[in-house]
């Protein structure tokens, strides 16, 4: 049977809201993201991925519609933001993301002043709407801080799903790396904004990438990576749609991707973009499931 893959990239708190809105807009227009045979989630996308794979998109939308998240805001305050900005400047200056570079970023993540790992993990135990790995194949990404090795968590990993999501969302410099089986893991976005290559072999692939359309910071680097992954999938025979935020969505997100007060606006912008995207997806997503 033909396979649909849904790839959800990183993009901060507002990336979560925009992605959830875009998927809701697709569904409103007749394209069911829950029909994915594989869900790949990186950072913000790991949260939305659990919504979709776990059949909890409506529950996730309700939470993301709240115009405040005091807990995440409080944890951001505990971070050394000047040092985080320096780390992001270094990250954004890189021509590519090699294993050695990922280990460098991992070392910086370990050295950063952040909230406690215990507080971070507890936040995700409440945030993730499913207690067990769902039946729909779900792959969540992270990076080993010591080696720079790429890590993919799934239902066979033996890792609690909330810890897998917490590790994927551990933005280096801003939030603490997560300890799993004695090793420390940071944000999967350190390797790629989307890791769409995990969908290799699927007939129809929708890549939703909150980061990569802009010209500042890490946007150009992650945009290049995601576009290269999309082209490789196409070369391998997959039908690929790549959705970056459009102009209205970029305006809704603004300059601070962690500003939870803008979440309702990002959901609505995502819904509008999702409804428009549905016309294109009807030629790929539905056809792949016939």
């Amino acid at each position: 049977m033909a396979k649909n893959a849904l790839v959800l990239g990183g993009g901060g708190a507002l990336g979560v809201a925009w992605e959830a809105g875009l998927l809701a807009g697709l569904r409103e227009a007749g394209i069911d993201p829950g029909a994915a045979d594989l869900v790949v989630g990186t950072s913000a996308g790991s949260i939305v991925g659990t919504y979709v794979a776990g059949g909890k998109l409506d529950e996730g939308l309700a939470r993301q519609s709240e115009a405040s998240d005091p807990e995440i805001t409080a944890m951001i305050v505990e971070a050394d933001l000047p040092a985080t900005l320096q780390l992001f400047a270094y990250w954004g200056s890189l021509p590519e993301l090699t294993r050695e570079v990922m280990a460098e970023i991992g070392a910086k993540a370990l050295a950063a002043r952040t909230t406690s790992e215990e507080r971070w993990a507890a936040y995700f135990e409440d945030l993730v709407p499913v207690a067990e790995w769902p039946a729909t194949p779900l792959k969540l990404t992270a990076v080993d801080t010591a080696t720079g090795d790429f890590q993919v968590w799934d239902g066979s990993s033996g890792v609690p799903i909330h810890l897998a999501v917490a590790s994927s969302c551990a933005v280096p410099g801003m939030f603490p790396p997560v300890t799993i089986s004695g090793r420390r893991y940071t944000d999967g976005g350190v390797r790629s904004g989307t890791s769409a290559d995990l969908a290799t072999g699927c007939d129809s692939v929708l890549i939703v990438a909150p980061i990569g359309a802009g010209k500042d910071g890490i946007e150009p680097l992650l945009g290049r990576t995601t576009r290269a992954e999309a082209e490789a999938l196409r070369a391998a025979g997959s039908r690929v749609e790549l959705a970056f935020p459009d102009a209205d969505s970029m305006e809704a997100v603004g300059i601070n991707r962690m500003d939870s007060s803008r979440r309702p606006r990002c959901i609505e912008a995502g819904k509008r973009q999702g409804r428009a995207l549905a016309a294109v997806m009807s030629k790929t997503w539905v056809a792949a499931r016939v």
Side-chain angles (χ1 to χ4, degrees):
M1 180 181 291
K3 293 183 178 179
N4 290 331
L6 176 63
V7 178
L8 301 166
L14 298 185
V16 177
W18 175 74
E19 283 185 321
L22 184 143
L23 297 182
L26 277 173
R27 190 178 61 183
E28 289 174 5
I31 303 298
D32 180 14
D37 301 290
L38 170 67
V39 179
V40 177
T42 293
S43 199
S46 71
I47 298 172
V48 183
T50 64
Y51 293 164
V52 175
K56 301 286 187 178
L57 182 56
D58 288 333
E59 184 176 325
L61 273 168
R63 176 153 186 161
Q64 294 302 314
S65 295
E66 298 172 5
S68 67
D69 188 338
E71 182 66 0
I72 196 75
T73 300
M75 288 190 285
I76 291 171
V77 169
E78 293 183 31
D80 183 348
L81 292 184
T84 300
L85 292 174
Q86 289 181 353
L87 192 159
F88 268 70
Y90 168 70
W91 187 0
S93 72
L94 298 168
E96 60 179 331
L97 294 168
T98 65
R99 182 170 174 270
E100 291 73 22
V101 162
M102 290 190 287
E104 284 186 47
I105 294 176
K108 294 178 186 294
L110 288 171
R113 187 189 76 205
T114 67
T115 192
S116 72
E117 182 181 347
E118 293 74 17
R119 185 178 186 182
W120 181 243
Y123 173 75
F124 283 89
E125 195 163 11
D126 175 63
L127 179 68
V128 174
V130 292
E132 304 292 337
W133 287 86
T136 297
L138 173 65
K139 296 182 180 294
L140 307 179
T141 69
V143 171
D144 188 310
T145 56
T147 64
D149 287 339
F150 182 45
Q151 177 65 51
V152 180
W153 308 115
D154 61 21
S156 68
S157 300
V159 174
I161 190 169
H162 78 280
L163 286 183
V165 176
S167 70
S168 190
C169 291
V171 179
M174 187 173 293
F175 303 118
V178 173
T179 303
I180 298 175
S181 299
R183 304 197 66 82
R184 305 290 299 282
Y185 294 93
T186 193
D187 196 317
V190 171
R191 188 255 187 177
S192 163
T194 52
S195 284
D197 53 320
L198 293 178
T200 298
C202 292
D203 293 318
S204 178
V205 183
L206 172 58
I207 305 171
V208 184
I211 294 179
K215 298 180 180 179
D216 300 318
I218 62 174
E219 295 250 4
L221 172 61
L222 298 192
R224 290 195 303 273
T225 302
T226 294
R227 291 183 181 93
E229 290 168 353
E231 285 307 309
L233 287 169
R234 291 186 182 109
S238 297
R239 292 168 293 189
V240 181
E241 293 298 331
L242 173 53
F244 288 116
D246 61 16
D248 287 343
S249 293
M250 291 286 283
E251 183 179 352
V253 171
I255 61 173
N256 180 4
R257 291 180 176 276
M258 301 305 295
D259 180 2
S260 58
S261 70
R262 299 178 72 91
R263 292 193 302 189
R265 184 177 177 183
C266 289
I267 287 175
E268 291 308 310
K271 284 183 177 180
R272 288 193 297 272
Q273 192 169 345
R275 288 191 291 267
L277 180 62
V280 176
M281 290 305 300
S282 66
K283 303 173 184 177
T284 56
W285 195 257
V286 174
R289 296 188 62 81
V290 172

